[in-house]
Amino acid sequence: MADSGTRTAGEEPITAAGHPTHVHDFHQLLYAPLGRITVTTPDGEHELASPLALWLPAGTPHSARFDPESLVLAEPFDPAVHHLPFTRTTAIRLGDTVRRQLLARTRGADAEAGDAAMFAALTCARTRRDARLPLPRPTSEAARTVAGTLLRRPDDPRTATEWAESLYVSSTSLRRAFRAETGIAFSEWRTRVRLNHSLELLTQGHQVGAVAAKVGFTSTNGYILAFRRHFGRTPGAWAKECAERSAE
């Protein structure tokens, strides 16, 4: 259901731009089928855009910022009834079926808060361990060539200008192609490729600095900042969580 502004006593109301730090006595799943939202919790910032959603266990202090024209869905679940398998803030990747179910609930006046079937579907969704960043593929010839090479070699250091020169096209047309055909800028598309490749290296136990170099970041700090911006965790914290889940 769409977030209608449920809050604790004395809390400032939710606005179109977001809401200040507050706490719920229920578990909550946040999802933005349109636009992007940034949720801040004690363990960091979590940037959410479809298909990523975020579980907030009951009692988790959090605030949020909404991009203009974002659609924000919030599903509450009573912890006395529903056992959440996550003890801390956890991002999940929603499949097409679950996304359709969530959207259908916004159109149904009789959608039941805390629906057991909906809870089961949402807690069975894949965790951030599998939450690769969405990466639409370009379709025009030059952009497709660049994308194919970066998917094989994310550490390729060429800029959009250098790529354009090698393909005998203008850098402006190449950048426009990425934006028009994938919905994101070339630099962001390349960053997502690198971050997605880094996930597997982290799960294999590679050190953060080595991973940063292998996927093409010029500095470890730059990699950590990009990783945290997209996944809400540092690479080291993410790798530790994966190792803990594997040991369960």
Side-chain angles (χ1 to χ4, degrees):
M1 60 183 63
D3 197 325
S4 59
T6 301
R7 55 190 186 277
T8 57
E11 219 178 76
E12 294 181 38
I14 293 175
T15 69
H19 55 71
T21 301
H22 63 291
V23 175
H24 296 309
D25 59 4
F26 50 82
H27 303 314
Q28 185 180 62
L29 180 114
L30 290 177
Y31 174 55
L34 295 175
R36 180 183 300 269
I37 63 177
T38 302
V39 182
T40 302
T41 68
D43 56 5
E45 286 195 344
H46 310 262
E47 290 200 5
L48 303 178
S50 185
L52 295 181
L54 189 71
W55 271 112
L56 294 164
T60 303
H62 63 284
S63 61
R65 301 191 306 275
F66 306 152
D67 281 3
E69 301 182 359
S70 292
L71 173 62
V72 183
L73 306 184
E75 290 284 341
F77 295 94
D78 184 349
V81 177
H82 302 283
H83 173 67
L84 188 67
F86 313 117
T87 58
R88 53 188 169 189
T89 308
T90 300
I92 60 173
R93 183 184 180 93
L94 301 180
D96 290 340
T97 299
V98 177
R99 293 204 300 271
R100 286 195 295 269
Q101 290 173 342
L102 281 174
L103 289 171
R105 288 168 65 79
T106 67
R107 299 189 295 272
D110 58 346
E112 179 186 353
D115 178 81
M118 190 74 260
F119 182 79
L122 292 169
T123 50
C124 286
R126 292 178 294 172
T127 65
R128 77 169 56 242
R129 182 177 181 181
D130 302 308
R132 289 177 177 269
L133 298 167
L135 202 64
R137 305 296 172 84
T139 55
S140 60
E141 183 176 356
R144 192 171 66 246
T145 297
V146 175
T149 301
L150 287 173
L151 286 168
R152 294 189 302 272
R153 289 290 309 274
D155 60 333
D156 192 305
R158 281 175 284 184
T159 64
T161 298
E162 291 169 334
W163 272 111
E165 290 176 352
S166 69
L167 296 170
Y168 303 102
V169 298
S170 73
S171 61
T172 299
S173 64
L174 182 61
R175 292 178 189 276
R176 284 177 177 170
F178 266 91
R179 174 70 74 177
E181 297 165 13
T182 71
I184 54 180
F186 166 77
S187 59
E188 171 65 11
W189 199 93
R190 182 178 60 184
T191 293
R192 291 190 185 189
V193 169
R194 291 173 172 176
L195 291 174
N196 283 346
H197 274 261
S198 78
L199 298 180
E200 182 63 28
L201 295 173
L202 289 171
T203 59
Q204 292 172 3
H206 293 277
Q207 295 297 310
V208 171
V211 172
K214 285 178 179 291
V215 299
F217 282 90
T218 56
S219 73
T220 300
N221 189 53
Y223 168 56
I224 293 173
L225 289 175
F227 194 100
R228 185 163 191 165
R229 177 164 60 88
H230 285 82
F231 294 111
R233 298 283 194 282
T234 64
W238 187 92
K240 182 179 179 181
E241 288 179 12
C242 287
E244 290 174 349
R245 291 196 185 106
S246 296
E248 291 177 353

